Structure formats: C-alpha cells, structure tokens
Amino acid sequence: MVETISDVRVHISVLYPSPRVGLGRPAIFVQGTAMDYKEYTSIEALKGTFDETTAVYAKAKAVFLQKNAPDLIAVVTYEEGKMLDAAEAYFLKSWHFAVLADYSAADALALSNFVEEQQFKFAVFQVATATEITPLVKNTRTIVIVHSKVDEKVDAALLGNVANLPVGSVTWKGRYDLKGVTAEDLRATEIDAIQQAGGLCYIEKAGIAQTSDGKTVSGEFIDAIHGDDWIKSTIETRLQKLLTETDKLTFDAQGIALLQGELTTVLNEGFANGIIDRNDETGEANYSITALQRADLSEDDIAKRNYKGLSFRYKRSGAIHSVDVYGEVEV
C-alpha cells in the first residue's frame, strides 16, 4: 500500500444493505528506457516528446478531443519489467485513471491488481473480446471496454468524455458523442455476453451511439466508487489544510468542533454534487457524523495528540439506468 504523506487518514468501509481537481485526470503508462513522470496540458505540448506515430499520442489525442477533456494528462514511463515500480513511485501524483499505451494482458492484470490493493483510483483498459476480461473480473476498480476497432481509442475517449465532470453529477452508462469512436454493430446476445463478463461496449440505442453500461468488471457502479474517492480525498485535503493553517488546534470541544465543521462541509458538498443520497422523508442529506469529546477518548491517544473520535456514514446516491413501463389497452 502506498502511504500518503498526511496527518489525516480517512478510513471508509462500504456497507451493503440486507470535480475535485485530479479526480478526472488520466495517466498513460508506456514502456521506455527510464522511469519518468510528466504532465501535459495539450496535445501540442505532448507532441514534442511523443510524435504522432506513437501509441501515447493516439491515447492522448483521444482524451483531448472530447468536449469534457481534463486540464492535463500524465505520462508514466517505466522500464521493461518495472511497471509496478513506476506505478508505486508516482501513485500520489494527481492522476486518477490509469490506461496502457500498448495493451498486454500481463501488464493489465498487474496494474489492475495494484490499483485494487490501493483501494483508490481506477485502471481502464480496452480489449477486443469479452474473454480477455476474465482474469480481471474480481477487481472493483477496473473498467474494461470491449471494442473491436483497435485504431479507435475508446478507453481514452471515454475518460475525456466523462471522468472530469463533477464527481457525483453523472453516471457512466449512456455516455454519448465519443469523438473519434464509432459504435459497434452487436447483437443483443453479444452485448449481454460482454456485460455478463464485466465489460462495457459502445453501441447504438434509439439511434444514438453510447456506452452500454456504467460498471466496473466486478459489477460495482463506476460513479459510486468515484464518489467514494471524492469524499475520501476531499476530507483528507480539508482536514490537513485545517491542521496546517490553524496555529494550534486545541484538544478540546472547540478544536473538535472545527474538525466536525470541516467534515460536515465536505459531506454537504457531496450531497449537492449527487454523491450522497437524499432522505425521502426529510429531504435532507442521508449522512451522519459522530464526534467524540475528549472525555470519551483514551488517555494514550490524548497524550499522543491523535484524535480518533471523528467518524461518519453516508448512503450513496443511486440513479435510474433502465425503465420498465406497464400499460393497459382497452378494446
């Protein structure tokens, strides 16, 4: 697990019932002669390092071509056999979605497993057939798009289309107008096979080319996990800022109230963005916060100046992805 340099640690457990800057940025992983990390704000800037004949250029162009393209993309260069070294070295940089310049099953599995171990960020791959998804199927943070037209970089195009929109405001199903990508002509049985395997495809529905679903290979909804990442990273950022900019955060009711206030602000923003569910009875955000007072904490933690009394829960906001309509006809 890559350790974040921070005084704040946010632990989120997902309970199942009986844009933040950077959270839409892709990183293109490519093999090279030396490990390196660079960021590019335009395709023109990238062209100076990776010309138009390279796989990196093709992926980057597909990202920047989209109407919701991020402010920058990253390129992670790794030496042969050392991709995970580079992934670990640059994991704390601002990218959030990893893609491969040149797909290989071994690299995809290694990168997918690495991201899964971190429980943060995503790996996104494009494959030609549904059977290629099988080794990845247990990973909740891997997205796979099945697309037979290998010259069309649908994985990168999808990220440019949706990843940089405000987290929580969109789902990944039904994303349309992927520039530079044409819809696949698939039968219903073929689409079902891809989705049963854990993949997405780009097809026409009602005459509109769009993504067939919005799930990771394990069946989790992408927007839900992306929302969890936003909550985690935003809480860490806000509380670290509070600790840094406050001359002394006192270990008493006043200091605890400041921590609780920052957490409340983040969860309210998450609710406004569509990450957190609305309570149908009250109309309010469906979350709760617990902030234990000093008297409820261990003397050892107090002596170490480590406050462990702040916790929260929230219910993820859902979305409608399909509709069944029932009617009657009188004769």
Side-chain angles (χ1 to χ4, degrees), residues 145-217:
I145 305 100
V146 178
H147 199 68
S148 65
K149 304 176 180 70
V150 294
D151 291 335
E152 298 180 351
K153 309 307 178 184
V154 64
D155 53 349
L158 178 60
L159 294 179
N161 175 277
V162 65
N164 200 53
L165 292 172
V167 180
S169 68
V170 294
T171 77
W172 291 55
K173 180 177 181 178
R175 297 309 304 174
Y176 64 97
D177 193 26
L178 301 189
K179 300 184 186 304
V181 181
T182 54
E184 295 271 68
D185 185 14
L186 300 174
R187 298 187 299 272
T189 54
E190 294 174 309
I191 296 169
D192 288 343
I194 290 171
Q195 295 185 165
Q196 287 295 321
L200 317 179
C201 49
Y202 194 61
I203 55 173
E204 280 196 8
K205 294 182 182 180
I208 302 172
Q210 58 190 277
T211 52
S212 63
D213 211 335
K215 296 179 181 178
T216 68
V217 294

Side-chain angles (χ1 to χ4, degrees), residues 51 150 231:
D51 65 38
V150 294
I231 294 290

Side-chain angles (χ1 to χ4, degrees), residues 43 46-59 61:
I43 193 66
L46 180 133
K47 192 188 300 185
T49 308
F50 300 95
D51 65 38
E52 296 180 17
T53 65
T54 63
V56 170
Y57 181 91
K59 294 280 186 178
K61 181 180 178 181

